[in-house]
Every structure is written in C-alpha cells, then in structure tokens.
Amino acid sequence: MHPLATLIAVILTGLRAAIAASAALRFRDPALADRSAIRTALLCRAWYYIARTTARLERLIALWHAGALPQPRAPRPTPPATPSPGATTAPKPRLPTRQAWIVTTVGHHAAGFASQLNHLLAQPDFAAFAAAAPQAGRLLRPLCRMLGIPTPPGIARPKPPRKPRVPRPAPPPAEPPRHGKYLPSQMRRYRPGPIPKFILRTA
C-alpha cells in the first residue's frame, strides 16, 4: 500500500473510533436521553460515510500509484426518486452541512484527527496525487467541511464566474438648493416691504 493511503487510513480509522466512542457515550448517558437517538443516528451515518470514503481513497491512490487512473466522467443527472407504492420506510437522517459539525459534536478527539488530516493534505505527495486524480475532490471536500479544515487548492471547487456588473443609470441632476420660496439668484431682489403702521404705533 502507498504511504499516503496508509496515513489516510490510519487517521480516518482513528476518527471513526472517536465517533463510535462519542455515540456510545451519548447513548448510555441518561442526561442526553432526549437527543441521544438523533445524535447517535447521525454519528453512525457519519461513521459509515467515513468508512466508505476511506476505502474509495485507498482504491484511488492504488490506481494512481499503478498508473491506471480512469478518466473522470461527467456528472450524470440524478433522476427523481419514485417511492414504491405501499412503502412506509422512514427517510434516513441526512448529514449536517455546517462547518466542523463533527468536531463540535465529538469534541477534542475529532479536532486532533482533523489537525492530522490537515497536515497530511498539505504534503507534496498529496499535491501530486490531487493533480493527477481530480476525482479525489468529490471524496475529500465533504470530509474537510465536516472537520472544519480548509480545502486544499488542488481539490477545491472552482468558484463560478462573477456576473458582469450592469452600469447603473446616471442620477438626474440635483435641483439647486432653495432658501424658502426664493432661489439663491433672487435673494438680492427680495424686499420685505414697509413695516405695518400698527407695529409702529405699539412701539
């Protein structure tokens, strides 16, 4: 087995052990009985997902090392799911998509394995593998997201091109400021008029 595949398998196997220990602790703790069933189901699903990802990465690294990598295929459109009549099976819980949710749920043990995987993905061996096998990005991007580590540049999803900005229409010319009901050009011609006589009498 290639050393890169060995290191990835060791790190992800340790991560699965930490997830299993956390799921067992939540299941046995009576203080977490209200949310233990949902959390345990999500952790079990994450455990199986990481196990499948580990096996696929090992197979992909072995093909890369043997020089027999298949050409990446274009993504196929997913047909809409049509449940069979009479089926009453409950839908499987979907994994969360928020950043670093495994580390938040499992704790510092998962954070340690996330740091080890982040260090491994920054090595030159992985950069060469990612350049030769872009299919690895589809396997590692969700894993990096759930562990809260940055996605390496070799497997990062390219950003969509930004739409060109449409120039805004020019604003209409501003009206000259008014001082009361007279324009500034009419201020010199303003005359208040004679003082009323009743004011002069009272004075």
Side-chain angles (χ1 to χ4, degrees):
M1 184 182 292
H2 194 272
L4 181 62
T6 303
L7 292 175
I8 289 180
V10 169
I11 294 173
L12 295 184
T13 301
L15 177 61
R16 283 189 291 142
I19 291 174
S22 178
L25 179 63
R26 289 178 177 275
F27 187 76
R28 291 194 302 263
D29 192 353
L32 303 175
D34 296 338
R35 296 180 297 175
S36 62
I38 299 176
R39 292 291 180 90
T40 303
L42 288 177
L43 290 176
C44 291
R45 190 166 178 82
W47 190 95
Y48 283 110
Y49 173 78
I50 295 174
R52 291 194 304 268
T53 302
T54 304
R56 292 175 181 177
L57 283 173
E58 290 178 353
R59 191 181 310 114
L60 196 60
I61 293 175
L63 292 175
W64 167 65
H65 185 60
L69 274 175
Q71 295 295 329
R73 296 177 297 179
R76 298 179 180 178
T78 304
T82 55
S84 58
T88 59
T89 57
K92 295 182 180 180
R94 300 185 62 180
L95 294 179
T97 57
R98 65 179 183 271
Q99 191 79 6
W101 74 271
I102 280 288
V103 177
T104 305
T105 306
V106 176
H108 63 279
H109 296 291
F113 292 111
S115 177
Q116 295 177 14
L117 183 62
N118 186 28
H119 178 73
L120 178 62
L121 298 184
Q123 299 303 314
D125 289 346
F126 178 79
F129 165 66
Q135 310 90 305
R138 184 170 54 86
L139 301 174
L140 287 170
R141 280 192 296 266
L143 192 61
C144 293
R145 184 174 183 84
M146 70 171 57
L147 292 176
I149 60 179
T151 306
I155 62 173
R157 190 185 298 275
K159 295 182 179 180
R162 300 181 63 179
K163 297 181 180 179
R165 293 184 178 180
V166 179
R168 296 182 178 179
E175 297 182 357
R178 289 180 173 270
H179 302 275
K181 63 179 179 179
Y182 297 98
L183 295 175
S185 58
Q186 299 173 341
M187 292 299 292
R188 294 183 181 180
R189 295 196 298 255
Y190 174 73
R191 295 292 183 270
I195 301 175
K197 293 181 179 181
F198 70 91
I199 296 179
L200 296 176
R201 291 178 193 157
T202 56

